[in-house]
Amino acid sequence: MKKIVKAQPNLLLKNLNSEQLKAVKHTEGALLVLAGAGTGKTRVITYRIAHLLEKGVAPENILAVTFTTKAAEEMRIRVENLVPGKGKLVWISTFHSFGARFLRMETKKLGLYPYFVIYDEIDQKDLLKECIRELNLEEKKYRPGLFAEIINRAKDDLIDYESYAILSVATNDSFRQIAALVYQKYQKKLLLANALDFGDLIMRTVFALRDIPALREKYQEQFHYLLIDEYQDTNRGQYVLTKYLAGKYKNICVVGDDDQAIYSWRGANIRNLLEFEKDYPDTKVIKLERNYRSTPEILDSAWRVVKNNRYRKEKKLWTKRIHGRPVIYEELSDEIEEAKYVVSEILSLRNMPKSTYSFTDMAIFYRMNAQSRVFEDYLRKEKIPYKIVGTVRFYERTEIKDTLAYLKLIYNPSDTLSLKRIINSPHRGIGKTTLAKIEKYALENNLSLFETLERIEKVPSLSPKTVSTVKEFISLIEDFIKDKDKLSVQELTKLILDKTGYIRELELEDTIMERIRIE
């Protein structure tokens, strides 16, 4: 029998400083925790959840939301370690994961296909390319990335395509009217594919809570306690979602730092944090100002910058750590001079008498990937070994996208984007010209691409060989569809990679890159 170790609240709370302790123990009503960098905000959130559980609150009555999957997973592990057996049952997720979970649980009430797929940034741009092409827009002038940004911001602000169209007419802006047409076509294509994008996960959830009182009451009754991390980064959609969920009990704790609000360019609204006390008049405010991470020199330098911010809550970080080296800054004329300076500093630290520094002790941070090239040029010139951190993200790798496309198609044959991605991967001889003929027939006969492939012999101007190849492909997919409910996702994935010949094609290439892709 597994031994369950019950957390001891008194011992747990001894690990907190006085302000952290106040934040953890203030469980009823609204709480605003202003947490500077390195002040232990994650500790406050996790200990607060553990404290609620130890007070007897049911795990399913607590919702904690943060901004990255990694942060959510770290929080989940910490809570489970503090309160074994209960911690893993708490709702801890990102905003988008919460939206996806909500929509999947409520598909019947919302009229959604239960196996709807979620399009990521790359899928979104691919779909927008189709929209631009079908609207006969000049592709060099009207880029998918631009429309993706417009649509994403609209959804963040809870503006659906119909509302956006009305606003575009009211503004009499020709470009905005074109964007409205693209948004409308894009959204209709998502609907036909039984697909949602990331913006839909929040917007559709908010609209459901707004429009269906029974759903709103259900989730307000479920979540007695809400904890929102990085509240300064919330956009309008996330703000309204939070308001709906906290509408009944109002036991809402938000943690954030207005001095770290840097995401206004992607829709974040600092007013959500600054005006929190207007939304919840009885709010208790606690400031976490003791820093555990940095030296006094770093804190002082940061303070000299942020104290000049026009809109901020007054606070000043301090630390008990011993003094360190002074902060050095240098103003340089361009990126080349910057790279030269940084590399010379690295060499100076490495080569000074009795130096204990190695190259592995040093890191260069830059704001965007395009900046790395100049640094790399000068590092290579001085023969300094280096490693770039942050290459192509796992789920953006070609082989992962292909595998996921097979799985999405098997669960949702209407997902045309996934179908087009893998119809010739691995190579089957179904090229762009053939696909264009098939798509033309589908459009003319009001059929989905999958339905058209199922009756491929009716598509004109295809060779017998092509018809045979398509029939083999469709037969393969239909076999997978029959197997999907009998196998685990892992077993189904292995079957796909084997039966499609995907791995065999990579093995035939026998290059280092292909071996990495197989791994």
Side-chain angles (χ1 to χ4, degrees), residues 174-338:
S174 59
F175 177 80
R176 195 164 184 178
Q177 288 168 9
I178 290 170
L181 290 174
V182 174
Y183 188 0
Q184 180 182 35
K185 182 168 276 289
Y186 168 78
Q187 205 62 31
K188 288 183 176 179
K189 279 181 172 288
L190 282 177
L191 182 65
L192 286 171
N194 289 319
L196 303 177
D197 62 18
F198 285 122
D200 286 324
L201 298 178
I202 305 295
M203 188 173 74
R204 293 287 292 265
T205 299
V206 170
F207 287 174
L209 293 172
R210 179 195 68 189
D211 299 336
I212 308 174
L215 269 185
R216 184 169 65 249
E217 290 163 15
K218 173 184 173 181
Y219 285 90
Q220 285 182 346
E221 181 56 45
Q222 175 166 349
F223 299 120
H224 295 202
Y225 295 90
L226 266 71
L227 300 94
I228 313 295
D229 192 14
E230 305 291 5
Y231 196 65
Q232 78 278 356
D233 292 335
T234 51
N235 58 39
R236 173 158 179 78
Q238 293 158 346
Y239 163 80
V240 175
L241 173 59
T242 302
K243 287 271 286 182
Y244 276 133
L245 294 174
K248 181 172 183 178
Y249 290 100
K250 294 183 172 56
N251 293 324
I252 177 171
C253 167
V254 300
V255 182
D257 181 10
D258 45 318
D259 291 333
Q260 296 183 66
I262 59 172
Y263 291 117
S264 59
W265 57 273
R266 69 179 188 194
N269 190 344
I270 185 62
R271 289 175 60 188
N272 296 343
L273 181 92
L274 296 177
E275 298 179 7
F276 182 79
E277 292 154 273
K278 290 183 181 179
D279 290 330
Y280 303 93
D282 296 326
T283 297
K284 181 174 179 60
V285 180
I286 295 174
K287 298 178 183 180
L288 303 184
E289 295 174 296
R290 180 180 175 182
N291 178 282
Y292 292 88
R293 185 187 299 161
S294 305
T295 61
E297 288 77 7
I298 291 173
L299 295 180
D300 186 59
S301 297
W303 160 247
R304 289 173 186 273
V305 174
V306 299
K307 73 175 183 178
N308 297 307
N309 290 353
R310 186 179 299 173
Y311 304 109
R312 69 184 298 270
K313 300 274 190 178
E314 184 55 42
K315 57 189 170 303
K316 192 173 191 300
L317 302 190
W318 59 276
T319 184
K320 288 184 177 180
R321 292 190 60 169
I322 61 172
H323 285 272
R325 294 166 61 95
V327 173
I328 300 169
Y329 65 91
E330 191 77 24
E331 186 175 345
L332 300 156
S333 58
D334 57 31
E335 71 274 17
I336 293 173
E337 291 303 311
E338 179 184 45

Side-chain angles (χ1 to χ4, degrees), residues 29 95 169 186 235 276 360 403:
F95 273 107
V169 172
Y186 168 78
N235 58 39
F276 182 79
T360 55
T403 307

Side-chain angles (χ1 to χ4, degrees), residues 468-490:
S468 175
T469 301
V470 170
K471 283 185 172 181
E472 287 177 15
F473 170 72
I474 282 292
S475 176
L476 186 67
I477 298 299
E478 287 175 340
D479 285 343
F480 291 145
I481 291 171
K482 290 174 188 172
D483 289 332
K484 71 178 173 64
D485 293 325
K486 304 173 193 172
L487 304 173
S488 67
V489 175
Q490 185 178 15

Side-chain angles (χ1 to χ4, degrees), residues 487-519:
L487 304 173
S488 67
V489 175
Q490 185 178 15
E491 290 168 335
L492 183 58
T493 303
K494 286 180 179 178
L495 187 66
I496 290 166
L497 294 173
D498 178 41
K499 293 292 185 183
T500 61
Y502 197 98
I503 294 292
R504 284 194 297 278
E505 185 170 84
L506 294 177
E507 288 172 340
L508 288 172
E509 292 289 330
D510 197 29
T511 64
I512 292 173
M513 182 56 69
E514 305 316 307
R515 286 197 289 272
I516 290 171
R517 292 179 67 191
I518 290 169
E519 288 302 316

Side-chain angles (χ1 to χ4, degrees), residues 5 29 41 104 106 121 153 194 237 303 305 315 318 333 370 397 399 414 512:
V5 180
K41 68 180 180 65
R104 290 210 189 275
E106 305 297 345
E121 184 181 341
R153 291 296 77 78
N194 289 319
W303 160 247
V305 174
K315 57 189 170 303
W318 59 276
S333 58
R397 293 177 179 272
E399 58 277 10
S414 297
I512 292 173

Side-chain angles (χ1 to χ4, degrees), residues 49 59-65 90-94 98 222-228 245:
I49 295 171
E60 61 271 19
N61 293 146
I62 303 170
L63 171 63
V65 182
V90 176
W91 282 53
I92 300 175
S93 70
T94 64
F98 173 82
Q222 175 166 349
F223 299 120
H224 295 202
Y225 295 90
L226 266 71
L227 300 94
I228 313 295
L245 294 174

